[in-house]
């Protein structure tokens, strides 16, 4: 009894003999068969880990309380880094699980909207945080880097570390750069339309351009094999649109709806939620009518659906 208590600690009582009705009932800790020994080892290890984690969590809570009271500025940075690393780790875990499933043949159409968003976004996030990974391994430099990164979050940190206000600001800045290409691409499409010799087809294409009822070239920056990368991105975007159709907009919170608008080329600032959803429904309707052979239609949607939107016009220089 004394040896068992010394080995397991005063707070772990589940391995001590249980006394019932005046008799000592030996538990699995005293078993001698190989199977029981393995079971005992697993149970003991699990209990010790649980005990250690509980102790660690209490220490962290105590430490955070002191840090918040004495150094509120440092605590703010610590909280952002802590939550950012947690969210980045969870997204990375989900991404590699999804990647493995897709490599084994799981269709994109069976994934949820969130899974598709993680699969699309995380490689960019990991590349964006590459300086963080490299400098964090250097003693003392990693801590200083977090302070510098806190001052320049858009350049040095991924969206997991951004506040809601920062996300709105940074996404709007990126969209402002993107919409500058809308008129350029539209002008090129109109010039190509005028070269169509078939009068009926030319009139139809002109109607498409002027009614603003189809698609766009989705602005991306591929480093190699641009056609293949754009095609893959278009199929992934279409799968996400179809997932939104399956799940419905009722399951989307305000932040997710805003993010979906920015990704698809609409400035949702100053729009009501109903207006944002109405615009996304137009986009999803296009996604439902395209397939792999005409995915470029979907990639044109930010221009055709967003070119004349009032909230986008204020971004033109």
């Amino acid at each position: 009894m004394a040896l068992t208590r010394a080995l397991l600690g005063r707070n772990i009582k589940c391995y001590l003999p249980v006394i019932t009705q005046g008799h000592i009932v030996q538990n699995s800790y005293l078993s001698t068969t190989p199977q029981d020994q393995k079971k005992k080892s697993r149970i003991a290890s699990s209990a010790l880990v649980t005990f250690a984690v509980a102790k660690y969590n209490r220490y962290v809570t105590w430490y955070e309380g002191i840090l918040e009271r004495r150094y509120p500025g440092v605590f703010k940075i610590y909280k952002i880094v802590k939550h950012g690393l947690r969210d980045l780790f969870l997204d990375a875990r989900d991404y590699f699980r999804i990647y493995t499933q897709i490599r084994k043949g799981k269709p994109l159409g069976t994934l949820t909207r969130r899974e598709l968003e993680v699969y699309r976004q995380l490689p960019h996030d990991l590349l964006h945080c590459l300086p963080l990974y490299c400098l964090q391994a250097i003693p003392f430099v990693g801590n200083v880097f977090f302070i510098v990164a806190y001052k320049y979050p858009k350049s040095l940190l991924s969206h997991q570390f951004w506040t809601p206000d920062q996300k709105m600001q940074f996404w709007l800045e990126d969209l402002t750069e993107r919409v500058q290409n809308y008129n350029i691409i539209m002008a090129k499409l109109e010039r190509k339309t005028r070269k169509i010799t078939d009068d009926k087809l030319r009139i139809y294409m002109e109607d498409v351009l002027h009614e603003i009822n189809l698609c766009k070239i989705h602005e991306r920056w591929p480093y190699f094999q641009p056609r293949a990368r754009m095609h893959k991105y278009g199929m992934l975007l279409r799968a996400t649109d179809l997932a939104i159709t399956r799940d419905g907009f009722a399951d989307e919170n305000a932040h997710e709806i805003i993010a979906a608008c920015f990704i698809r080329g609409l400035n949702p600032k100053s729009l009501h939620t109903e207006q944002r959803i109405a615009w996304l429904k137009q986009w999803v309707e296009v996604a439902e009518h395209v397939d792999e052979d005409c995915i470029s239609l979907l990639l044109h949607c930010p221009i055709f659906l967003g070119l004349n939107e009032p909230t986008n016009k204020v971004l033109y220089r």
Side-chain angles (χ1 to χ4, degrees):
M1 174 75 71
L3 179 59
T4 303
R5 187 181 298 276
L7 290 173
L8 298 177
R10 293 178 175 273
N11 294 323
I12 305 177
K13 301 178 181 179
C14 57
Y15 305 107
L16 301 180
V18 179
I19 302 178
T20 57
Q21 298 180 355
H23 299 283
I24 297 179
V25 180
Q26 299 295 329
N27 59 23
S28 61
Y29 187 81
L30 301 178
S31 302
T32 57
T33 63
Q35 293 80 3
D36 289 338
Q37 289 292 336
K38 291 181 180 179
K39 182 178 180 181
K40 168 213 64 176
S41 178
R42 289 194 300 268
I43 295 176
S45 298
S46 176
L48 289 172
V49 169
T50 302
F51 177 74
V53 169
K55 281 283 190 179
Y56 173 76
N57 288 335
R58 284 196 294 269
Y59 170 76
V60 170
T61 302
W62 169 81
Y63 175 77
E64 289 178 343
I66 294 179
L67 192 63
E68 183 176 13
R69 290 191 301 271
R70 297 184 180 180
Y71 310 101
V74 176
F75 177 76
K76 184 179 180 180
I77 299 176
Y78 162 80
K79 189 175 181 181
I80 291 174
V81 172
K82 174 186 174 183
H83 291 170
L85 288 174
R86 179 200 62 192
D87 293 343
L88 185 61
F89 170 78
L90 293 176
D91 286 349
R93 183 192 63 182
D94 291 341
Y95 173 83
F96 289 111
R97 174 180 57 82
I98 297 166
Y99 177 81
T100 302
Q101 292 174 344
I102 293 176
R103 288 293 300 270
K104 291 181 178 179
K106 186 173 184 178
L108 292 177
T110 61
L111 299 175
T112 65
R113 180 203 58 80
R114 185 189 177 280
E115 289 176 331
L116 289 165
E117 292 287 358
V118 170
Y119 183 67
R120 177 189 61 82
Q121 181 64 29
L122 189 76
H124 175 75
D125 294 336
L126 295 178
L127 185 63
H128 202 72
C129 290
L130 187 60
L132 172 64
Y133 309 141
C134 296
L135 295 177
Q136 183 64 21
I138 304 175
F140 305 108
V141 175
N143 296 331
V144 176
F145 175 78
F146 275 121
I147 298 176
V148 176
Y150 176 75
K151 297 295 183 181
Y152 306 97
K154 183 181 179 181
S155 302
L156 300 176
L157 297 175
S158 62
H159 73 91
Q160 289 87 353
F161 298 87
W162 299 347
T163 66
D165 291 340
Q166 287 175 332
K167 289 179 180 179
M168 178 67 80
Q169 175 189 345
F170 300 155
W171 288 342
L172 188 59
E173 291 174 359
D174 290 341
L175 182 61
T176 301
E177 296 297 324
R178 292 165 55 192
V179 298
Q180 309 312 315
N181 299 300
Y182 286 8
N183 284 321
I184 298 174
I185 298 174
M186 177 62 76
K188 290 181 178 179
L189 289 174
E190 289 178 339
R191 287 197 298 269
K192 288 183 178 296
T193 299
R194 287 194 292 269
K195 295 180 180 180
I196 298 177
T197 57
D198 188 314
D199 292 339
K200 185 177 180 180
L201 180 59
R202 186 181 67 255
I203 293 173
Y204 172 76
M205 287 299 299
E206 290 174 350
D207 290 340
V208 167
L209 291 174
H210 290 102
E211 289 177 4
I212 318 272
N213 62 353
L214 278 181
C215 331
K216 112 158 194 170
I217 294 177
H218 198 63
E219 199 243 343
R220 300 285 287 177
W221 297 101
Y223 297 101
F224 61 93
Q225 297 181 335
R227 289 183 178 271
R229 291 173 64 86
M230 286 299 296
H231 185 271
K232 179 180 179 180
Y233 175 80
M235 294 303 297
L236 183 57
L237 188 62
R238 176 180 178 271
T240 306
D241 296 333
L242 298 182
I244 293 177
T245 303
R246 292 195 307 269
D247 300 340
F249 288 95
D251 295 334
E252 304 281 324
N253 58 42
H255 171 77
E256 292 170 338
I257 292 175
I258 289 174
C261 289
F262 274 120
I263 290 170
R264 290 158 180 80
L266 174 69
N267 175 16
K269 193 174 182 179
S270 76
L271 291 179
H272 298 295
T273 301
E274 294 77 12
Q275 294 173 303
R276 297 165 181 165
I277 292 177
W279 190 88
L280 288 174
K281 284 183 177 179
Q282 296 180 59
W283 179 291
V284 170
E285 184 178 358
V286 176
E288 292 174 338
H289 289 85
V290 300
D291 54 23
E292 186 174 359
D293 295 331
C294 56
I295 197 64
S296 63
L297 291 178
L298 188 65
L299 295 175
H300 280 80
C301 277
I303 293 176
F304 290 102
L305 297 181
L307 179 65
N308 290 331
E309 285 292 330
T311 56
N312 278 358
K313 285 184 177 180
V314 301
L315 303 179
Y316 298 145
R317 299 192 184 102

